[in-house]
Amino acid sequence: MASLWFLIVALMVVAYVVLDGFDLGAGVVQLIVGKTDDERMQVIRAIGPVWDGNEVWLLAAGGTLYFAFPLLYASSFQGFYLPLMIVLWLLMLRAIGIEFRTHSTSQVWRGFFDVIFSGASALLAVFFGAALGNVIRGVPLHGDGYFFEALWTNWRVGPDAGILDWYTVIAGVVALVALTVHGALYVSLKTEGDVNVRARKVVAALWPALLVVTLVSLTATLYIRPEVLTNYRRVPLGFAIPALVVGSLAGMFWLHKRGREAEAFFASCLYLAGMLGGAAFALYPNVLPASTGEQYNLTIYNTVTGSYGMRVGFTWWAIGIVIAIGYFVFLFRMFRGKVGEAGGYH
């Protein structure tokens, strides 16, 4: 059951990154693809029916983590207190940017809130990537299962590293580029006219950068934590995950170049799922490695909740996830098609 809940938490995180990831990416590219107020509003209309619903997956992932691995939840929220507060403020600013610009008639204030929306989206992508980088790199855990990290120290990887160092910054850059491409693909899928053309140009310009930062991040990960290959050597079938990443990257380029927007966006979803799935597979059974020694690692075994709770919780989780999936299928089908330049869906 502990392994099952590890898989469930990983799936919830993947769902959040894939779904809210295109919202974040759309926010990053809004000021690039939208040159006029109407064009920027077209980008917002593309994500308008779903953006707040997509953010619910973050709450669902956090709630699942709290239920299944309470010690991990408590340790992480204490150690990452400062970045979590930053993330909460960025989430609020992003919502303020969307909501307030739609209620204002002043072009100055609309432009101001567009900058807030775009800037908060970009910073969220960076911080989420840096958070994953911290999990892979390890944090300064001790015998009590808790830790504290400064925002940065000496920018070097080691027992006294901060939340931001050269490795976690690389992870943040990977997340920013990947989600920007993901969002641009979604915008090109959902819009038409000049916005569609510019979004396609963003994808074409950033795909080589995505390839480079992916390779750099893989090399950096093997350099600082070579033991991530242990599970892959133990279960060679796991190499299907990096093969999926490579295939989805190639498919993203090939499909986008041929104007197959829906398939290219799906390839981007597979890329994000493959990157996160590969990290989860490499870390298992650890949920939070320690940079102070393997004996302090938080694993699925020393952080999991009781067996009775896991069994009962799985029953209710299964019911809830079926309802959630049904709702999101209904929502995306209701707002399928492209956003017209004059408003509305085709």
Side-chain angles (χ1 to χ4, degrees), residues 115-322:
V115 171
I116 293 294
F117 171 54
S118 187
S121 298
L123 288 174
L124 274 170
V126 172
F127 270 91
F128 283 141
L132 178 60
N134 272 267
V135 173
I136 296 173
R137 181 204 63 196
V139 297
L141 286 161
H142 298 287
D144 60 358
Y146 292 91
F147 69 98
F148 172 78
E149 279 189 309
L151 189 58
W152 68 77
T153 54
N154 53 15
W155 293 92
R156 282 182 270 176
V157 175
D160 298 321
I163 292 166
L164 297 176
D165 58 30
W166 66 265
Y167 176 73
T168 57
V169 168
I170 289 175
V173 172
V174 173
L176 176 61
V177 176
L179 295 184
T180 301
V181 171
H182 192 52
L185 284 168
Y186 184 79
V187 171
S188 68
L189 173 65
K190 296 294 290 182
T191 60
E192 56 187 16
D194 291 337
V195 172
N196 175 279
V197 172
R198 295 189 194 109
R200 290 179 54 80
K201 288 181 178 178
V202 169
V203 176
L206 285 183
W207 185 88
L210 179 59
L211 176 62
V212 170
V213 296
T214 300
L215 294 174
V216 169
S217 67
L218 174 60
T219 304
T221 300
L222 294 176
Y223 174 73
I224 68 162
R225 189 169 283 276
E227 55 267 32
V228 295
L229 291 177
T230 301
N231 285 343
Y232 288 95
R233 295 193 186 101
R234 186 180 297 127
V235 185
L237 186 61
F239 282 104
I241 300 176
L244 173 65
V245 172
V246 173
S248 60
L249 267 173
M252 203 187 306
F253 174 78
W254 188 82
L255 292 165
H256 174 262
K257 193 172 182 179
R258 282 154 182 75
R260 297 167 64 175
E261 296 167 340
E263 292 92 337
F265 176 71
F266 182 69
S268 178
C269 296
L270 290 179
Y271 168 80
L272 294 174
M275 291 288 281
L276 293 168
F281 184 82
L283 291 173
Y284 179 86
N286 297 310
V287 289
L288 189 61
S291 60
T292 47
E294 291 186 4
Q295 68 273 23
Y296 299 126
N297 287 354
L298 295 183
T299 71
I300 62 174
Y301 305 113
N302 60 18
T303 61
V304 74
T305 190
S307 59
Y308 175 77
M310 285 190 288
R311 291 196 302 271
V312 174
F314 178 73
T315 301
W316 287 106
W317 177 86
I319 295 172
I321 200 67
V322 169

